[in-house]
Amino acid sequence: MEQNKILLSICIPTYNRADVLRDVLEKITSDPAFDQEVEIIISDNHSTDHTKEVALPFQDKYPNVFYYRNTSNLPDKNFAIALNYGKGEYLKLQNDYIFYREGKLSLMKEHIRKNLERKKPLFFYQKVKGGKKYKNQELICNSLDEFISIISFRCTWINNFGCWRQHFKNLDDKERCVSYLLSQVDWTYRVVLNQQGAVIISDKITERMPSSMGSRGGYNYWKVHIENYYKIMQEFVKSKDIALSTYNKDRKYSLTRYSDRYVRFILLPKEGHSYEATDSLQYFWKYYKDIPIFYLIILEIGTIYLGKSIHQMFRRLLSKVRI
């Protein structure tokens, strides 16, 4: 690697998370692996809070921290904007509430350096299908179908996206799936397809910043992660770039995971979950009705809902009883 050449660009699109962003930047810039080979790109999506006042001191202090601010709010278009600012060999998209666990930034750089010459698509995933069986492993897949069989819906999280700058530059029409709020899925599929495979690092490299543990949601989780996710995949099935059998296996795998989230986020929500649920069960019906276990899951959801309703009814009755 020639001197002063950037190995890794950490690209952070952000909006109205100034204090969390400060914590993230402090964590990354204090990491021993944050050196001249790493740059941080902050792409502010026209925040209305004090994001600019948080970011500029880091830019002033570190020559490899760069702050940019959009002239208007561009929702998910900001992901591509952040990546396009990167000058590193490898571009890593990162949520503005994520930091690297001890020693993991260094580990990520090692994997990037190891794959630098051949430039096989490289991805870092916290979890893959198979769970602990593949923990801390380097997995090789030789087709988009193999990739999906390992990753499934986990490619919907923007923090799991990263690719070689040249591969990203070669993608045309980068905004074609921006209305689905899942451009990163489309980019991932096309990068893997174009290069006929990928290297997947299965390791818990990042963590969520404790200061960000407030409200989660603000959008319809099931419309995005079921309806939009499978709309994107269907286009690749139509072009025969993804096998129909792969699509069907993925639906079977995702059904129990998404129904579990429906129970945890909607029926029995924990503090901090605020997902919209409009038409959510219709999305389940549309994409899973041909899978036998779907009907057991609907029975489970109905039982939980009925139990919750009965509980609430008794609480109302008790509240009216005067002792």
Side-chain angles (χ1 to χ4, degrees), residues 64-105:
N64 48 347
V65 174
F66 302 92
Y67 171 76
Y68 304 92
R69 177 178 168 84
N70 297 334
T71 55
S72 61
N73 187 287
L74 301 171
D76 280 34
K77 291 182 180 181
N78 196 31
F79 299 166
I81 291 171
L83 291 164
N84 281 326
Y85 282 129
K87 300 180 290 295
E89 291 289 327
Y90 187 86
L91 308 177
K92 180 70 176 69
L93 190 61
Q94 180 172 316
N95 295 91
D96 56 5
Y97 53 81
I98 292 296
F99 70 95
Y100 295 95
R101 300 175 71 217
E102 185 176 354
K104 297 302 184 178
L105 179 56

Side-chain angles (χ1 to χ4, degrees), residues 150-281:
I150 296 172
I151 295 304
S152 186
F153 58 84
R154 294 178 181 87
C155 60
T156 59
W157 187 21
I158 72 167
N159 201 63
N160 284 333
F161 181 77
C163 70
W164 302 106
R165 180 164 50 87
Q166 190 59 49
H167 291 173
F168 188 70
K169 183 178 178 181
N170 290 343
L171 291 177
D172 60 357
D173 195 9
K174 294 182 180 65
E175 295 182 1
R176 70 182 194 175
C177 290
V178 74
S179 64
Y180 291 155
L181 308 184
L182 290 176
S183 289
Q184 62 275 15
V185 173
D186 177 57
W187 299 337
T188 297
Y189 284 0
R190 288 199 279 160
V191 166
V192 174
L193 181 64
N194 291 344
Q195 303 301 317
Q196 299 181 330
V199 176
I200 301 166
I201 308 302
S202 173
D203 196 349
K204 190 173 169 121
I205 286 179
T206 61
E207 285 188 20
R208 187 182 178 101
M209 188 61 65
S211 56
S212 71
M213 297 297 187
S215 177
R216 294 180 60 188
Y219 68 101
N220 190 319
Y221 183 95
W222 296 271
K223 176 175 176 54
V224 172
H225 292 271
I226 297 179
E227 169 86 339
N228 294 353
Y229 171 61
Y230 283 118
K231 277 186 176 181
I232 292 173
M233 192 182 289
Q234 284 172 347
E235 290 302 312
F236 286 84
V237 172
K238 287 178 184 177
S239 62
K240 300 186 184 305
D241 291 316
I242 294 176
L244 180 60
S245 59
T246 299
Y247 170 79
N248 288 331
K249 286 178 183 177
D250 191 75
R251 288 191 301 117
K252 290 177 183 177
Y253 176 76
S254 68
L255 169 57
T256 53
R257 277 73 184 173
Y258 285 143
S259 60
D260 175 68
R261 285 163 173 75
Y262 185 82
V263 171
R264 291 191 291 117
F265 296 168
I266 301 299
L267 297 182
L268 303 172
K270 295 181 180 179
E271 184 178 355
H273 288 158
S274 60
Y275 291 103
E276 180 189 339
T278 305
D279 297 328
S280 54
L281 292 180

